[in-house]
């Protein structure tokens, strides 16, 4: 039974993890409500995914070794087993048989490509726009399903919980804030790109699920492992809103990185040069930008316009003459940590699940291997949805949210987010100075206190997003300050020596 106020399973978020969870639940006889802040498909990070989705092909063990190596041996081998052992079946079942995604083909069959730190060609793709070619048919399929209701432009503000069990969430949409009860709640709210000035994420990625889960008492892990993508096009150094991802697949096809003096530099940093793990390339690009000026991606070794028509058009739209090289810089791309979950997406709270980027499965450790995020969302989503199905709905007293007053003082949220991003960029970016992390925490704590004071006076989506961003930023800072091992994306550097004068 699905009514406006309850469903067997409530999924919060509409990326591939959330959609796979919904599919897993309806296949197991449950009715599902998907509540998503997105108003169009572009609102989910999955829509933006370029490179593709890796599969195990005939060698799951080699895939596992590549994931472990990219993570600097910090990924959880048992979690990686779950991923590589289920990869082929999940992709075949859902993407090929159920959704009929038309992956690119070459010669006889599917075209498998390669990206950085993969030791074989195992990535299925559609041009360099794989995300939307999976996400749109997936949304359409579920939209047409009798047991699924999709509420868009609807935000979850708080979990409804009692004594360690979650019973639903407070949902906010244009007309009201109301409790929505569910037998299980599955968080699939994506990443934290909004916490940084430059990101490849859509502009609603404020860490909502992570903050809600943490505030409800769920465990959260590995928050210091924030992955920066090394090749994000920067059309205008003074306008962070115009940046866009240039897929690793472009380097996979032969593009080269050149520094401000026109020299290729990646062979000096790693034996695999441009195809080194992502954290290594991001650090190298940052270092070369600081030492020599603009870094560019030289696409002359390939037929860029023909091989990557979507990206070529994007460059042209932004007045980038890609034949001269694409100016690139690292930008926040993916959070490897998140809400702690087991191999079925179960969090440490009863009836609460998390899937996709907001979850921490252990698959990525300190650094994620390219083209494993859609796969992780798909595999864990199906497992979590199946596990979450069939639990009874128990309406309990909902939290009292204050009279709704969506208007915030002019510039309130914008000013606070600006301050938060400055701290995250300076102290919790590609490099972290251990001596600065305490200061970052103090600044973020102060900011969170100011936001909390407002949360006590009104209920508004932008205020809750701001609170979620502040909670999540503090978690990143706290985990970073507690980890003194420089590994993967958590790159600790020493402060420069003060000069004599
Ligand atoms: C890319 O296309 O470079 C991004 C793929 C990923 O993040 O896995």
């Amino acid at each position: 039974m699905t009514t406006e106020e309850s469903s067997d399973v409530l999924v919060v978020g509409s990326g591939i993890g959330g959609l796979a969870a919904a599919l897993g639940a309806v296949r197991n006889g449950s009715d599902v409500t998907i509540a998503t802040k997105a108003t169009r498909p572009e609102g989910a990070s999955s829509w933006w995914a370029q490179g593709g989705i890796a599969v195990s092909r005939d060698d799951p063990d080699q895939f596992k070794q590549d994931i472990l190596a990219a993570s600097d041996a910090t990924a959880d081998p048992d979690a990686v087993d779950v991923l590589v052992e289920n990869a082929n079946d999940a992709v075949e079942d859902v993407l090929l048989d159920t959704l009929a995604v038309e992956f690119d083909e070459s010669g006889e069959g599917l075209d498998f490509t390669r990206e950085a730190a993969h030791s074989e060609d195992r990535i299925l793709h559609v041009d360099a726009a794989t995300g939307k070619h999976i996400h749109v048919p997936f949304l359409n399929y579920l939209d047409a399903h009798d047991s699924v209701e999709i509420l868009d432009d609807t935000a979850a503000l708080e979990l409804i919980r009692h004594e360690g069990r979650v019973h639903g969430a407070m949902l906010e949409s244009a007309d009201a804030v109301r409790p929505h009860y569910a037998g299980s709640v599955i968080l699939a709210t994506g990443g934290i790109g909004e916490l940084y000035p430059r990101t490849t994420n859509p502009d609603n990625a404020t860490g909502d699920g992570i903050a809600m889960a943490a505030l409800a008492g769920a465990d959260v892990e590995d928050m210091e492992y924030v992955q920066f993508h090394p090749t994000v096009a920067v059309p205008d150094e003074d306008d962070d809103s115009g940046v866009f991802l240039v897929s690793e697949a472009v380097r996979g096809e032969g593009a080269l990185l050149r520094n401000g003096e026109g020299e290729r530099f990646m062979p000096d940093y790693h034996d695999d040069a441009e195809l080194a793990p992502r954290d290594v390339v991001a650090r190298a690009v940052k270092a070369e930008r600081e030492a020599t000026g603009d870094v560019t991606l030289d696409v002359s070794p390939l037929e860029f316009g023909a091989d990557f028509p979507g990206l070529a058009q994007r460059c042209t739209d932004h007045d980038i003459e890609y034949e001269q090289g694409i100016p690139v810089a690292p930008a926040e791309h993916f959070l490897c940590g998140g809400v702690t979950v087991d191999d079925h997406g179960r969090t440490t709270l009863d009836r609460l699940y998390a899937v996709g980027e907001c979850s921490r499965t252990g698959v990525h450790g300190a650094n994620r291997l390219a083209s494993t995020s859609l796969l992780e969302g798909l595999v864990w989503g199906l497992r979590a949805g199946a596990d979450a199905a069939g639990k009874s709905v128990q309406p309990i007293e909902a939290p009292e949210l204050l009279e709704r007053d969506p208007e915030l003082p002019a510039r309130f949220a914008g000013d606070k987010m600006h301050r938060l991003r400055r701290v995250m960029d300076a102290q919790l970016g590609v490099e972290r100075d251990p001596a600065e992390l305490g200061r970052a925490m103090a600044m973020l704590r102060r900011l969170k206190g100011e936001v909390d004071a407002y949360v006590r006076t009104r209920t508004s989506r932008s205020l809750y997003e701001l609170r979620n961003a502040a909670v999540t930023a503090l978690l990143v800072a706290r985990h970073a300050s507690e980890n003194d091992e420089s590994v993967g994306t958590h790159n600790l550097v020493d402060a420069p020596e003060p000069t004599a004068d």
Side-chain angles (χ1 to χ4, degrees):
M1 152 231 48
T2 300
T3 70
E4 222 178 276
E5 294 89 19
S6 76
S7 44
D8 296 333
V9 175
L10 171 64
V11 177
V12 182
S14 59
I16 190 168
L19 301 185
L23 181 63
V26 292
R27 280 177 169 178
N28 282 275
S30 281
D31 61 55
V32 176
T33 297
I34 301 172
T36 173
K37 290 199 297 188
T39 46
R40 296 166 296 158
E42 295 97 300
S45 289
S46 300
W47 190 88
W48 295 90
Q50 292 186 7
I53 183 161
V55 288
S56 298
R57 301 195 73 181
D58 298 329
D59 199 347
D61 193 55
Q62 188 54 55
F63 188 15
K64 176 179 181 177
Q65 296 317 320
D66 289 351
I67 292 172
L68 292 173
S71 78
D72 260 336
T74 56
D76 172 352
D78 294 336
V80 179
D81 280 338
V82 172
L83 188 83
V84 301
E85 283 164 13
N86 288 283
N88 292 348
D89 286 350
V91 168
E92 188 173 333
D93 164 18
V94 179
L95 304 189
L96 297 174
D97 295 347
T98 307
L99 303 178
V101 175
E102 292 186 358
F103 288 110
D104 286 354
E105 299 194 348
S106 65
E108 304 279 282
L110 293 166
D111 179 46
F112 295 93
T113 187
R114 184 183 298 216
E115 289 178 21
H118 284 269
S119 61
E120 67 166 326
D121 297 352
R122 59 163 79 94
I123 298 167
L124 292 171
H125 60 103
V126 188
D127 181 17
T130 311
K132 66 181 80 157
H133 288 278
I134 293 174
H135 192 236
V136 172
F138 214 159
L139 268 177
N140 291 343
Y141 178 86
L142 290 171
D143 226 354
H145 202 293
D146 287 344
S147 303
V148 178
E149 174 187 40
I150 303 180
L151 305 174
D152 62 8
D153 193 14
T154 300
L157 302 184
E158 279 189 21
L159 294 170
I160 304 172
R161 72 182 199 285
H162 182 63
E163 291 182 352
R165 173 175 288 186
V166 170
H167 296 268
M170 298 300 290
L171 299 186
E172 184 260 14
S173 56
D175 51 351
V177 178
R178 63 190 187 284
H180 187 103
Y181 294 101
S184 310
V185 175
I186 303 179
L187 299 172
T189 55
I192 61 166
E194 272 296 279
L195 276 53
Y196 287 87
R198 281 185 180 159
T199 177
T200 61
N201 292 184
D203 62 11
N204 56 16
T206 41
D208 302 342
I210 299 168
M212 276 191 293
L215 291 171
D219 287 355
V220 171
E221 271 178 278
D222 290 351
M223 292 293 288
E224 69 274 41
Y225 300 135
V226 180
Q227 183 171 70
F228 292 81
H229 197 290
T231 55
V232 173
V234 183
D236 176 352
E237 282 290 339
D238 299 324
D239 179 9
D240 292 326
S241 67
V243 304
F244 60 93
L245 178 66
V246 181
S247 175
E248 211 149 75
V250 179
R251 273 174 288 135
E253 294 298 317
L256 304 173
L257 282 160
R258 297 194 184 280
N259 65 18
E261 282 145 20
E263 285 162 7
R264 189 177 170 211
F265 55 87
M266 274 314 300
D268 298 338
Y269 287 84
H270 197 280
D271 288 347
D272 293 334
E274 278 80 1
L275 295 185
R278 213 171 256 182
D279 56 330
V280 176
V281 186
R283 284 197 290 277
V285 170
K286 180 175 189 300
E288 293 292 326
R289 275 169 57 88
E290 284 165 5
T292 70
D294 283 354
V295 164
T296 50
L297 189 63
D298 172 4
V299 293
S300 62
L302 55 150
E303 296 293 327
F304 186 64
D307 295 344
F308 297 97
L311 275 173
Q313 184 59 48
R314 200 111 189 250
C315 287
T316 307
D317 293 346
H318 284 86
D319 294 328
I320 294 173
E321 292 176 26
Y322 58 78
E323 299 85 352
Q324 314 300 320
I326 303 170
V328 290
E332 195 281 342
H333 182 58
F334 188 88
L335 176 66
C336 301
V339 185
T340 307
V341 296
D342 67 7
D343 59 359
H344 284 84
R346 292 180 284 234
T347 73
T348 54
L349 293 181
D350 192 22
R351 309 280 180 95
L352 182 67
Y353 296 74
V355 296
E357 191 174 347
C358 72
S359 70
R360 184 271 185 201
T361 60
V363 158
H364 310 305
N367 184 47
R368 178 173 69 82
L369 179 68
S371 285
T372 53
S373 56
L374 293 175
L375 182 63
E376 182 196 40
L378 180 65
V379 168
W380 256 265
L382 289 172
R383 293 165 74 84
D387 200 87
K391 314 236 187 302
S392 59
V393 181
Q394 291 172 349
I396 60 161
E397 199 173 327
E400 294 237 343
L401 297 191
L402 293 158
E403 201 65 9
R404 200 151 173 267
D405 179 5
E407 297 305 321
L408 288 176
R411 297 200 304 276
F412 178 88
D415 288 351
K416 298 274 183 280
M417 278 308 284
H418 183 70
R419 256 172 65 199
L420 183 147
R421 286 192 195 110
R422 267 212 323 258
V423 176
M424 298 302 283
D425 191 40
Q427 268 105 22
L428 291 146
V430 175
E431 291 175 345
R432 287 102 189 251
D433 175 355
E436 289 289 307
L437 293 175
R439 226 161 64 88
M441 275 178 66
M443 287 191 281
L444 292 169
R445 242 189 237 117
R446 206 162 39 244
L447 191 137
K448 178 173 171 299
E450 293 165 23
V451 175
D452 283 345
Y454 264 87
V455 173
R456 286 192 282 275
T457 67
R458 66 191 75 208
T459 304
S460 112
R461 186 185 301 188
S462 56
L463 189 53
Y464 270 80
E465 287 179 324
L466 187 56
R467 183 201 63 172
N468 293 337
V471 169
T472 312
L474 250 177
L475 285 165
V476 174
R478 199 179 81 215
H479 289 204
S481 71
E482 288 168 354
N483 183 355
D484 58 11
E485 187 190 0
S486 194
V487 59
T489 54
H490 182 52
N491 176 33
L492 296 173
V493 292
D494 290 322
E497 292 291 323
T499 49
D501 50 2

